[in-house]
Amino acid sequence: MNQYILAIDGGATKTTLSLRDASGKVYFEKTSTSTNYQAIGAEKVEKVLTNLLNEAYKATGILDIAVATFAIAGVDTQNGLAIVQQIIHRSCGNSPFSIRRTIVENDVQSTLIGLTGGKAGALLISGTGSAAYATDGQGRIERSGGWGHRVGDEGSGYWIGREILNTIFRSEDGRLEKPTVLTDLVYDMLQIDNIEQLNDWIYQPDYTNAQVANISKILTKAISLGDEQAIQIACNAAKELSIMTNAVLRKIEPIDKDFIVYLNGGILKHNPIILNVFKDYVKKIHPYISFHLCTQNPIDYIANRALSSLK
């Protein structure tokens, strides 16, 4: 009898659900909006998950699920875990699925386990948010960063977007010695004309972290134009990400020469200056480690996490 798994990658920007069998064959996969309760609230998360689960059932007719792995952003504390578990319990109760085993983890932790297959390694993610996790291969998992946009997420898309916006306001105030192209690039992106409209955009009722993170996409263009402020933001982001990574590596030392730091997220994939400066910073302290830029989508690694628990 074929066994089926559900893998759910719930981030601050989007959520992907994938239904697969034990061989890895995909029967259903769909992406929806954020399921980070810290960003959008528990009720909206429950609605997104319920809709995805019901769509998966309608598309496949499959009822029995051996393992469902919910890898959700915002699972950072025991209280956060309890909140997310309650949301998932209600969402699954509103779907026809019979799930024999449910795994609820932080999305970065779950991705790390799926990547390493139980071996020692580390994962740095910089997307809308940022976090670093590492494992010694003996079941011990440590983390650094990932404390959310209010107090952390250094080097992330949200952090970069916020730095860009702050730079524009400082430029408008006359607090910068030189002008910056960031202003025109952001105005073009948002289809606005002045600083008052930018302020209104930031304080709109529908404001989300993902919208600010999206601002980070202009950074590469600004750097290509030689903008000093953009270059400084990129270097600061790389430094913050390296501090985060070195911190988590210290927690699992000693590290052997075959150790791999996996890198994922749009900031690391689409900003060469951030990626290269980050590597240089980390190599100064850990010269023998290697880096691997992930090529698959996070949902594939989370599916591996679920599939490995079948064995």
Side-chain angles (χ1 to χ4, degrees), residues 6-20 28-56 69-75 84 87-88 91 105 107 111 128 210 297-300 302:
L6 280 172
I8 297 88
D9 175 23
T13 302
K14 59 186 179 180
T15 300
T16 300
L17 181 148
S18 186
L19 195 160
R20 308 184 183 196
F28 175 86
E29 193 161 292
K30 185 174 181 179
T31 297
S32 184
T33 54
S34 168
T35 44
N36 184 336
Y37 80 93
Q38 295 170 333
I40 67 170
E43 289 185 6
K44 290 183 179 179
V45 172
E46 182 180 337
K47 183 176 180 180
V48 172
L49 290 177
T50 298
N51 288 341
L52 283 171
L53 289 166
N54 284 324
E55 288 184 53
T69 295
F70 289 82
I72 307 293
V75 179
V84 172
I87 294 170
I88 290 169
S91 299
E105 293 173 329
D107 55 334
T111 304
T128 300
N297 293 320
I299 192 65
D300 295 318
I302 293 165

Side-chain angles (χ1 to χ4, degrees), residues 101-131:
R101 183 185 178 197
T102 301
I103 300 171
V104 182
E105 293 173 329
N106 177 279
D107 55 334
V108 185
Q109 176 177 329
S110 201
T111 304
L112 172 65
I113 296 171
L115 268 167
T116 61
K119 298 180 181 178
L123 170 63
L124 170 69
I125 289 184
S126 180
T128 300
S130 63

Side-chain angles (χ1 to χ4, degrees), residues 222-252:
I223 290 171
S224 72
L225 295 172
D227 188 86
E228 292 182 11
Q229 294 296 324
I231 293 170
Q232 188 61 53
I233 290 171
C235 290
N236 288 344
K239 184 176 182 179
E240 291 291 349
L241 293 172
S242 70
I243 291 170
M244 191 182 300
T245 302
N246 286 329
V248 81
L249 294 180
R250 283 197 301 270
K251 295 178 180 181
I252 60 163

Side-chain angles (χ1 to χ4, degrees), residues 42-43 46 50 83 85-95:
E43 289 185 6
E46 182 180 337
T50 298
I83 291 171
Q85 286 175 328
Q86 290 172 4
I87 294 170
I88 290 169
H89 178 74
R90 292 194 298 268
S91 299
C92 292
N94 292 328
S95 79

Side-chain angles (χ1 to χ4, degrees), residues 163-172 176-190 192 198 215-233:
E163 290 293 300
I164 290 172
L165 293 172
N166 179 262
T167 298
I168 294 171
F169 282 102
R170 287 191 289 120
S171 178
E172 175 68 19
L176 298 182
E177 293 182 0
K178 295 181 180 180
T180 174
V181 301
L182 293 170
T183 301
D184 288 339
L185 291 175
V186 169
Y187 285 6
D188 287 344
M189 171 183 273
L190 300 180
I192 60 176
L198 179 59
I215 297 292
S216 68
K217 291 180 179 179
I218 70 163
L219 191 67
T220 301
K221 176 66 174 177
I223 290 171
S224 72
L225 295 172
D227 188 86
E228 292 182 11
Q229 294 296 324
I231 293 170
Q232 188 61 53
I233 290 171

